[in-house]
Amino acid sequence: MLDKSWKDAGLKHGGSPDDDRLVRGAGCFSDDLVLPGRLHACFVRSPHAHARILAVDAEAARGLDGVVAILTAADLETLRIGNVSVPQIITGRGGAKLIVPFRPALATDRVMHVGQPVALVLATSLRAAEEGALAVEAEYDPLPAVADALAALAPDAPQLWPEAPGNLAVDYIAPSADPALAQQVEEAFAQAAHWVRIELVHQRVAHAPIEPRTVTALFEPMGETYVLHAGSQGAGTLSAQLAAVLGVAPAKIRVETHDVGGSFGMKTHGYPEYAALLAAARLSGRPVHWVSTRSEAFMSDNQGRDHRSTAELALTADGRFLALRTESIVALGAFVSASGAHIACNNFTRCLPGMYAIPLVSAAVKCVFTNTLPTGPYRGAGRPEANYLLERLVDAAAAESGIDPVALRRRNLIAADQMPVKTVVGNVYDSGEFEAVLDKALAASDYRDFPARRAAARERGRLRGIGISCFLEHAGGSPVEGAVFEFAEPGVLTVRLGVHASGQQHGSVFARLAAARLGLPQEVVRVSSGRSDISIRGGPTVASRSAMAAGTAIVRATDELIAKARRLGALALDVREDDVVWQEGHLLAAGTDRNLDLFDFAEDARARASRGEWPESLDVRVEVEVPQSFPNGCHIAEVEIDPETGHVRIVDYTAVDDCGVVLDAHLAEGQVIGGLAQGLGQALLERFVYDENGQIVTGSFMDYAMPRASNMPAIRSSFHPVACRTNPLGVKGVGEAGTTAAIAAIMNAIADAIPGGRGRELQMPATPEKVWRACRGEPDPSP
């Protein structure tokens, strides 16, 4: 049952300690940490997409001033570093498991992509390390490479891994590979009055957070403990992965994360560089510091998307959806990242059939090895790929059937009175008012008067289009999450969490939540995260899960704190537990004037527990399991195109989101807008390009286009909160909604603007050249 008694607490955002600290330049990011005696690190990286390593000559480099050591794979052998790839294992057709090739910290006999680390230079200054890296001479024997996933499946493609015939990592299908289901889907298409088919490419993109990956690694010989200071989305998750890579007990590695300047999924898991830097710290006996350059980031950070799909939809004569069939080919890269295959398979297919009542779904995914950087989570992580496919397909179905796009969507939406409903892929939607969300977006965007705006644009020589994107995504990821409440400092309640913020202002939201439930001033509650050694089980800040998972843990912890305080308070006040009343941070003995201040009592309880007088202190540790939720909404974009130049301008954007109970409207809206910026970037600008030999073409911001403030439209954002029924806060998640919705809304608007249906084949990014060609009836030149 939902606890709504406090649900409106803190809806108005009044700033936070994080705001003040960061605006004043008082943040502590990974590069701000300066340990005495540290060495600077620079990696020698492969210039080849695929090659044998014949020799690595470091003698000249070792003689340079300031160079302390140069490490290759041979130097790390004594530490027995394991496979850096520690992925979630996916099961494909016939029970075949995901193939996971060995990924070394430093390349051994072969390099598999441009930028793979081959050697590590340690020096007393950054300049000396960079000069040392330039002096290292590596000799290679180039091998044939393949950068495109479709090309990698061809019979004559280079074979990248002997254990993966045909470069296939896993052949996955959902909801099942049952031939009977395939037959049902085939029959539905055979009986359909309308049958539409589209091909879509979700191009590869770079994360480009404002703060690049930055690491300080050290080794504490006294406890034989590795320590990694690095940006992350959860220190515990990163620590657990690195412990497996290094082959040590979890207690023998500590990850500490400070402020994080953006991540978008990229900083969730470990990299070869982290293992190599920790090994270097152990071998050198000194702290080792490394900051990725922007150029390095383009050849070493995990990337996103690279998902190609064919989608088919069968409809009745009156527009009812009968069956959905999709086939996707996804590039995993040269190695398997921690969640790359999971995103391509599970995350993608679990978003189907979205808001729609589609009785039959078959979704096949082939994950493929290529000589490129691994793909991993990028804001949305499979959700934008699924929603883009669905919403482009629905618009294609509207054009094929002659049914208005709004009417077609409305006709197939799952009704609110059907909730909870189990979908064909196994999800259980607990709540949602999909038609109400659609109607709210249509009204807010003034959809009815769009024809007049289109006519006015035509008089100005512009093409105007409108695009709808109804979306539903699953939020939550790992269900287990913990929280610790501690009274370690006088007058302060410290809330320790495993999730870690990279711009979400957890410190404000979660402090307000705990304070509101306990009746305390927010100023006395301090949120702390970023250390793996507090042993909090749970997942990182991914999948829009923090408010749901950590929020639920805080609710449980506040309840347990009050229960424990009443239990121990009865001992201190010499009354029955039932006679102890919790009131705004005080314990009152009913019917008397006796009371205990929470913080004074916490100090007393800690002292008594340490002396063995009481069985416990007031500190609380909890773990909860929180089911997934299903955020949803409707975004509507309006664009104007100059047909003479192909320039696209987003002139209006409406977002209506159901993220459940809104804990902070200001921050929630910021998440929607930030997500929209990244969706807009992918729709119009961004595309990471490898040539056919695996060489990087877009290796800097001179070539890789990023959205700017001038690209952003005025945004009309509102919420339609329908409380989630599976967690006590009623929250659903909002961090990825903007990206998931925006891509389809913008691309549908562009397709609507270009006359004669010539924009329906346009692939992202919709650059001016491609749009100009589409306006002239020329084909999309992109692959």
Side-chain angles (χ1 to χ4, degrees):
M1 184 174 179
L2 290 177
D3 177 5
K4 301 180 182 178
S5 60
W6 69 281
K7 71 175 184 178
D8 294 324
L11 282 179
K12 294 182 179 179
H13 180 80
S16 74
D18 285 342
D19 290 336
D20 182 77
R21 182 173 57 83
L22 294 172
V23 167
R24 293 176 184 274
C28 180
F29 294 87
S30 295
D31 196 38
D32 294 323
L33 179 68
V34 180
L35 297 181
R38 73 178 185 180
L39 298 174
H40 292 264
C42 185
F43 286 93
V44 178
R45 298 184 180 276
S46 168
H48 299 281
H50 193 198
R52 293 187 186 91
I53 300 174
L54 301 180
V56 177
D57 184 357
E59 286 308 309
R62 287 191 175 98
L64 295 177
D65 288 343
V67 172
V68 174
I70 298 174
L71 304 178
T72 64
D75 298 301
L76 306 187
E77 287 180 357
T78 58
L79 299 181
R80 297 181 180 178
I81 295 174
N83 192 350
V84 176
S85 292
V86 187
Q88 296 165 274
I89 299 299
I90 303 299
T91 302
R93 297 178 192 261
K97 301 294 184 182
L98 172 70
I99 294 169
V100 185
F102 187 85
R103 187 182 192 186
L106 295 174
T108 52
D109 58 333
R110 276 197 305 165
V111 288
M112 301 300 296
H113 64 82
V114 169
Q116 184 173 351
V118 174
L120 174 58
V121 178
L122 306 179
T124 54
S125 70
L126 177 58
R127 181 168 183 173
E130 291 173 339
E131 289 178 349
L134 290 172
V136 173
E137 295 184 4
E139 185 180 354
Y140 301 94
D141 176 21
L143 298 170
V146 60
D148 178 75
L150 192 60
L153 290 174
D156 59 348
Q159 178 70 40
L160 303 190
W161 298 105
E163 61 266 45
N167 297 317
L168 187 62
V170 69
D171 186 1
Y172 178 84
I173 189 165
S176 80
D178 185 354
L181 174 61
Q183 181 63 32
Q184 287 179 298
V185 171
E186 192 63 43
E187 290 173 357
F189 275 93
Q191 297 167 8
H194 303 288
W195 177 352
V196 290
R197 181 181 186 273
I198 61 173
E199 294 184 4
L200 297 173
V201 176
H202 243 274
Q203 76 273 31
R204 181 178 284 249
V205 293
H207 290 71
I210 194 169
E211 180 198 28
R213 285 192 294 136
T214 302
V215 168
T216 297
L218 60 150
F219 183 75
E220 298 176 345
M222 184 73 70
E224 294 190 336
T225 300
Y226 291 99
V227 181
L228 187 83
H229 295 269
S232 77
Q233 293 173 239
T237 297
L238 180 55
S239 176
Q241 181 185 354
L242 289 174
V245 172
L246 296 170
V248 299
K252 293 299 182 180
I253 180 167
R254 184 173 74 252
V255 172
E256 297 187 24
T257 296
H258 309 283
D259 290 318
V260 180
S263 179
F264 316 120
M266 184 200 79
K267 297 175 184 173
T268 308
H269 302 288
Y271 286 83
E273 292 89 349
Y274 297 176
L277 292 163
L278 287 166
R282 180 168 188 170
L283 293 172
S284 68
R286 296 170 66 176
V288 177
H289 186 67
W290 171 70
V291 181
S292 168
T293 66
R294 285 293 175 191
S295 296
E296 274 189 297
F298 278 113
M299 64 175 74
S300 64
D301 292 349
N302 288 343
Q303 297 177 332
R305 316 295 193 233
D306 209 340
H307 188 126
R308 180 190 301 264
S309 295
T310 299
E312 299 170 288
L313 185 65
L315 301 87
T316 63
D318 64 351
R320 299 286 178 181
F321 298 162
L322 294 173
L324 169 68
R325 182 165 55 199
T326 73
E327 294 182 356
S328 298
I329 296 172
V330 182
L332 293 185
F335 302 98
V336 183
S337 72
S339 54
H342 170 75
I343 290 165
C345 298
N346 291 335
N347 275 13
F348 171 73
T349 58
R350 287 175 185 170
C351 284
L352 307 175
M355 285 186 172
Y356 302 113
I358 305 179
L360 294 169
V361 172
S362 176
V365 180
K366 290 183 177 180
C367 294
V368 183
F369 290 114
T370 54
N371 291 115
T372 60
L373 280 167
T375 50
Y378 175 69
R379 197 169 191 165
R383 299 161 183 84
E385 294 92 317
N387 190 70
Y388 182 58
L389 177 149
L390 275 172
E391 289 302 285
R392 291 299 302 273
L393 192 58
V394 171
D395 265 22
E400 166 68 22
S401 65
I403 301 172
D404 176 76
V406 172
L408 185 61
R409 285 175 168 86
R410 190 186 304 279
R411 195 165 299 172
N412 289 281
L413 292 174
I414 297 171
D417 60 10
Q418 292 180 277
M419 300 292 176
V421 61
K422 186 173 183 178
T423 71
V424 67
V425 299
N427 286 328
V428 178
Y429 300 167
D430 64 280
S431 58
E433 296 175 355
F434 304 153
E435 187 169 14
V437 166
L438 172 62
D439 286 338
K440 192 169 183 176
L442 293 171
S445 67
D446 193 16
Y447 187 87
R448 181 177 297 176
D449 288 338
F450 171 74
R453 298 194 293 277
R454 170 175 268 171
R458 189 180 301 116
E459 291 180 2
R460 292 184 280 106
R462 297 293 185 266
L463 303 174
R464 192 163 182 132
I466 193 164
I468 300 172
S469 176
C470 291
F471 78 95
L472 178 142
E473 56 186 10
H474 52 88
S478 170
V480 177
E481 193 60 43
V484 174
F485 281 17
E486 286 183 352
F487 293 90
E489 299 179 47
V492 175
L493 169 60
T494 300
V495 177
R496 299 195 183 279
L497 301 173
V499 297
H500 194 79
S502 54
Q504 298 90 343
Q505 294 196 2
H506 287 178
S508 173
V509 174
F510 292 140
R512 191 182 312 142
L513 170 59
R517 291 190 64 86
L518 294 171
L520 298 173
Q522 184 178 337
E523 294 74 22
V524 303
V525 181
R526 181 181 304 157
V527 174
S528 175
S529 63
R531 288 183 68 105
S532 63
D533 57 352
I534 56 174
S535 302
I536 295 177
R537 284 186 67 212
T541 300
V542 297
S544 303
R545 67 183 295 275
S546 295
M548 291 165 41
T552 297
I554 289 171
V555 170
R556 176 75 59 82
T558 58
D559 291 344
E560 291 206 11
L561 173 58
I562 292 172
K564 181 183 280 193
R566 292 181 65 224
R567 189 164 60 248
L568 295 179
L571 298 176
L573 295 168
D574 194 24
V575 296
R576 293 183 309 146
E577 185 177 331
D578 290 345
D579 292 329
V580 179
V581 179
W582 176 280
Q583 183 175 311
E584 297 182 348
H586 288 78
L587 296 166
L588 311 180
T592 75
D593 60 356
R594 289 181 295 157
N595 71 88
L596 300 170
D597 172 77
L598 171 63
F599 295 103
D600 292 340
F601 181 51
E603 287 190 50
D604 184 44
R606 180 180 292 275
R608 294 192 184 209
S610 67
R611 295 194 298 266
E613 297 173 14
W614 282 0
E616 54 190 346
S617 70
L618 276 189
D619 293 351
V620 170
R621 177 183 294 270
V622 301
E623 286 184 4
V624 296
E625 288 197 25
V626 185
Q628 286 192 326
S629 67
F630 299 92
N632 59 87
C634 179
H635 290 203
I636 299 177
E638 266 185 69
V639 304
E640 279 193 3
I641 297 172
D642 181 346
E644 297 301 316
T645 66
H647 177 71
V648 176
R649 186 166 70 94
I650 304 174
V651 294
D652 193 74
Y653 197 94
T654 299
V656 177
D657 288 273
D658 172 14
C659 57
V661 173
V662 180
L663 301 185
D664 187 311
H666 177 84
L667 294 180
E669 184 178 61
Q671 289 290 312
V672 172
I673 294 171
L676 163 61
Q678 290 181 273
L680 178 153
Q682 185 170 0
L684 299 181
L685 299 161
E686 299 182 54
R687 180 179 173 226
F688 196 89
V689 179
Y690 289 91
D691 70 14
E692 61 182 10
N693 297 313
Q695 289 295 320
I696 295 171
V697 177
T698 51
S700 75
F701 289 135
M702 294 292 289
D703 308 296
Y704 186 88
M706 293 282 287
R708 303 185 179 204
S710 59
N711 298 118
M712 289 292 287
I715 300 163
R716 191 181 300 104
S717 175
S718 63
F719 297 98
H720 183 85
V722 179
C724 179
R725 300 172 182 172
T726 58
N727 67 73
L729 296 177
V731 296
K732 292 181 179 176
V734 71
E736 292 155 315
T739 308
T740 300
I743 296 171
I746 294 168
M747 292 301 292
N748 277 344
I750 293 171
D752 180 62
I754 299 173
R758 296 192 299 269
R760 293 180 199 144
E761 304 297 322
L762 198 64
Q763 301 289 355
M764 297 187 291
T767 61
E769 179 195 358
K770 291 163 70 174
V771 173
W772 178 80
R773 288 181 180 276
C775 291
R776 295 166 59 87
E778 298 179 12
D780 186 342
S782 63

